[in-house]
Amino acid sequence: MKPYVTRLLIVMLLPFAHITAQDKIPLLSGKVEISISQGTFECDLTLSNMPQIDDYFIRINSGMNILHMRSKKPNDFLVYYTKSLKDSLSTGESNAYYFSDNTGEGKFLPESIQFKYVGKYPVVKDTLQDYSVEDWKGNIAFNHNSTRSDGFQSAWYPILYNITNDKLFHKVTYDIELTCTDCTTLYINGNKPVKAQSYNFKSDIPRELTLFCGNYDFTSLNNTYFLNSGFTPDEIQEFGNLINSYKNFYVKNINIPFDQPVSFVQTSPVSKNNQWMFVSYPTIMSIGWQNGLKSVVDPYFRNFYQPFMAHELGHFYFGTHRVFNSELGDMMTEGFSEFLSLILTENIIGEDVFKEKVHEKIENLKDFNATPFGKIKSQSEYNNRQLYVYNYAPIIFLAIEKKIGEKQMWQWIHKILTTPTQFTDYDFLITTLQQTLTDTNKVNTLKTLYLESPKSLENAISTIGIK
């Protein structure tokens, strides 16, 4: 057990703070020192301007060794913290912490907390002997010449989570002095990359703090940055034109501006076989051993890679413009982004590619016993997340579009992205659908065929007409 540290009597102040501070955006400030040769993070970070939440966790990467957590406001003192084993919604990379109140039964949250901790991670060299077995989005990864980390999944910085409202405060404003003495280039999401070994990064716009620091070059085109891309000037122009055409397609149909420039990052994994893309706007990161981002404009590979890029751009709407929660939140975030990618593929990339993608998804689902959206009570009931969110969900959405028409499908998507709600659950899905169609019989038909039926997948495949 950790030694006792003095606690202040602040429980009675919490109800008033809770009323006035619900919509606050946390500010992260302090210093971070990284070594890509040693695989180390050394962090002295303060989280302030936090909403006062009664039931919460603070997530920090499980590889970080904590020196202390210190209340800075309303009083300055070392605070006793508890590690929870009940953070069931974490993806596994982080530990969950909280501060017990004076009763020992509830929690309190200081207005400002200092966190000091260090972490050391494997440095994977560019040799066969030094590969890891697996690499993934939430990994704090050190390859032979750089380090990368996403924000909320890796939780390399402290992330506040509201348990009651299922709300993650992973997007923060920040004022961070980042130092890496064995790097030539530094980048934090929401800022321009800089050629420096130390730089004070700031943002008044809340961002998820994706990092990419190391020895690489970058270029730019019309305020879009390309980090470690390997692009020629002609390829940059072609790539930029392609991305703009995808953005314009989404804006025209969804009727919500795509008002962010994007930074594209190319890096290699720390495993032998893994390759993927992920997005934490305004960063889209490509991890792979092959041509990476260049494959998007390569005539030989583009039909395969361009739908992936369309999916990641779709996350501007599903995952950035609106963050989804509840048991269907993951399905909606990924499923609708994949649906957008399919529709864009049909209209811009090519109908043959679209049919091939749909056929592939149907083949993937051949032996999958899917639980319909209306029967899902927790994400564990997806059975197989990969099949459920990337294959089953977009097939259902394609069938709904076929049934209600393109115009009303885009209107439904717009309502999903703009209708206020606390929980983006099944009731929210049905409510927005009812508001779109204004026809209870049509909604009931969709529920019967695709949203609540044990034969939802079979019905959807029959409606789509592609096998």
Side-chain angles (χ1 to χ4, degrees):
M1 179 175 289
K2 298 182 185 297
Y4 177 81
V5 182
T6 303
R7 301 180 184 138
L8 292 186
L9 294 172
I10 66 171
V11 178
M12 294 182 65
L13 300 176
L14 289 180
F16 301 97
H18 183 78
I19 292 170
T20 59
Q22 270 302 306
D23 295 325
K24 286 185 175 179
I25 301 296
L27 167 66
L28 188 70
S29 57
K31 297 181 179 181
V32 177
E33 294 187 16
I34 296 172
S35 170
I36 60 171
S37 60
Q38 298 300 312
T40 56
F41 268 72
E42 185 170 351
C43 300
D44 181 353
L45 296 168
T46 297
L47 198 60
S48 59
N49 197 49
M50 292 178 289
Q52 289 299 295
I53 301 170
D54 296 330
D55 195 12
Y56 69 90
F57 289 132
I58 295 175
R59 293 174 180 159
I60 300 177
N61 186 269
S62 57
M64 299 297 185
N65 302 293
I66 295 172
L67 173 63
H68 69 235
M69 299 182 194
R70 187 180 193 95
S71 171
K72 303 299 289 185
K73 287 183 181 180
N75 296 90
D76 191 340
F77 64 102
L78 289 178
V79 62
Y80 183 92
Y81 59 84
T82 301
K83 183 189 294 185
S84 175
L85 301 178
K86 298 180 180 180
D87 188 13
S88 60
L89 295 179
S90 170
T91 53
E93 291 86 352
S94 60
N95 291 325
Y97 301 92
Y98 66 90
F99 310 118
S100 297
D101 64 19
N102 298 287
T103 69
E105 297 179 358
K107 301 174 181 179
F108 78 89
L109 184 63
E111 295 175 30
S112 177
I113 315 167
Q114 179 192 37
F115 301 84
K116 293 193 75 170
Y117 51 85
V118 296
K120 183 171 175 60
Y121 300 87
V123 179
V124 175
K125 306 296 183 182
D126 192 15
T127 67
L128 291 176
Q129 288 77 22
D130 284 324
Y131 284 115
S132 294
V133 173
E134 187 176 7
D135 198 356
W136 69 100
K137 178 176 182 283
N139 189 21
I140 297 179
F142 288 84
N143 63 18
H144 60 288
N145 69 343
S146 65
T147 182
R148 64 145 222 277
S149 176
D150 85 318
F152 83 89
Q153 190 168 327
S154 69
W156 71 264
Y157 59 97
I159 294 177
L160 180 65
Y161 171 63
N162 184 328
I163 297 172
T164 304
N165 293 337
D166 189 17
K167 183 173 182 179
L168 197 63
F169 292 88
H170 61 297
K171 294 180 181 179
V172 296
T173 59
Y174 60 85
D175 183 351
I176 296 174
E177 182 181 334
L178 176 61
T179 300
C180 179
T181 56
D182 46 9
C183 295
T184 62
T185 307
L186 307 177
Y187 175 73
I188 294 182
N189 199 31
N191 265 258
K192 299 175 182 178
V194 295
K195 284 288 186 180
Q197 294 182 322
S198 184
Y199 190 79
N200 194 180
F201 291 96
K202 298 181 181 182
S203 177
D204 294 327
I205 300 173
R207 301 294 191 191
E208 177 187 352
L209 297 192
T210 294
L211 281 177
F212 184 55
C213 302
N215 299 310
Y216 62 86
D217 292 319
F218 60 88
T219 55
S220 64
L221 175 69
N222 299 328
N223 207 30
T224 297
Y225 284 83
F226 303 87
L227 286 65
N228 196 43
S229 68
F231 278 141
T232 66
D234 287 345
E235 287 171 334
I236 287 176
Q237 190 67 53
E238 182 181 356
F239 188 92
N241 291 339
L242 185 76
I243 297 305
N244 285 335
S245 71
Y246 289 7
K247 288 182 180 180
N248 292 337
F249 177 81
Y250 287 151
V251 170
K252 176 184 176 182
N253 289 288
I254 298 174
N255 197 27
I256 295 174
F258 198 124
D259 54 2
Q260 288 189 10
V262 180
S263 293
F264 294 92
V265 176
Q266 176 63 46
T267 187
S268 57
V270 295
S271 61
K272 186 175 181 179
N273 297 315
N274 296 119
Q275 57 180 357
W276 73 100
M277 292 181 181
F278 74 82
V279 59
S280 57
Y281 272 98
T283 299
I284 293 179
M285 191 169 290
S286 171
I287 299 99
W289 286 110
Q290 297 179 352
N291 291 332
L293 291 172
K294 291 171 72 72
S295 298
V296 176
V297 293
D298 187 317
Y300 186 77
F301 294 108
R302 63 188 178 194
N303 284 348
F304 180 80
Y305 280 95
Q306 286 181 7
F308 284 104
M309 188 57 67
H311 175 100
E312 300 306 334
L313 290 170
H315 275 307
F316 171 77
Y317 295 102
F318 288 89
T320 303
H321 180 85
R322 174 153 224 165
V323 177
F324 295 83
N325 61 13
S326 303
E327 62 277 359
L328 292 181
D330 186 28
M331 180 281 293
M332 294 174 73
T333 301
E334 296 297 342
F336 273 112
S337 293
E338 186 64 10
F339 170 77
L340 291 179
S341 171
L342 289 171
I343 298 304
L344 185 147
T345 297
E346 183 180 25
N347 284 271
I348 294 180
I349 300 172
E351 189 172 353
D352 289 345
V353 180
F354 164 75
K355 289 181 178 179
E356 183 180 336
K357 298 286 290 184
V358 174
H359 173 75
E360 179 184 352
K361 292 182 185 302
I362 292 173
E363 283 295 304
N364 291 341
L365 294 166
K366 186 175 293 184
D367 299 317
F368 184 58
N369 184 21
T371 302
F373 300 160
K375 305 299 181 182
I376 292 286
K377 302 302 179 185
S378 71
Q379 287 188 18
S380 63
E381 295 178 8
Y382 290 0
N383 269 338
N384 180 314
R385 176 184 178 270
Q386 181 78 17
L387 289 177
Y388 199 89
V389 305
Y390 295 107
N391 294 271
Y392 171 71
I395 290 296
I396 296 298
F397 295 140
L398 284 173
I400 292 174
E401 184 208 35
K402 192 88 169 179
K403 207 74 172 176
I404 68 177
E406 292 181 11
K407 182 178 179 180
Q408 289 194 310
M409 189 67 183
W410 287 118
Q411 290 173 349
W412 184 35
I413 287 174
H414 182 87
K415 282 200 175 294
I416 288 171
L417 292 168
T418 58
T419 302
T421 188
Q422 184 168 307
F423 297 107
T424 54
D425 52 14
Y426 182 67
D427 288 341
F428 169 72
L429 208 61
I430 295 301
T431 298
T432 53
L433 187 59
Q434 177 68 54
Q435 290 172 349
T436 302
L437 301 181
T438 64
D439 186 327
T440 301
N441 290 332
K442 284 185 178 180
V443 173
N444 287 337
T445 297
L446 296 175
K447 289 166 68 174
T448 299
L449 287 173
Y450 314 120
L451 301 176
E452 296 179 1
S453 170
K455 294 185 177 181
S456 58
L457 178 58
E458 180 182 333
N459 294 337
I461 292 173
S462 175
T463 299
I464 294 168
I466 298 175
K467 297 181 179 180

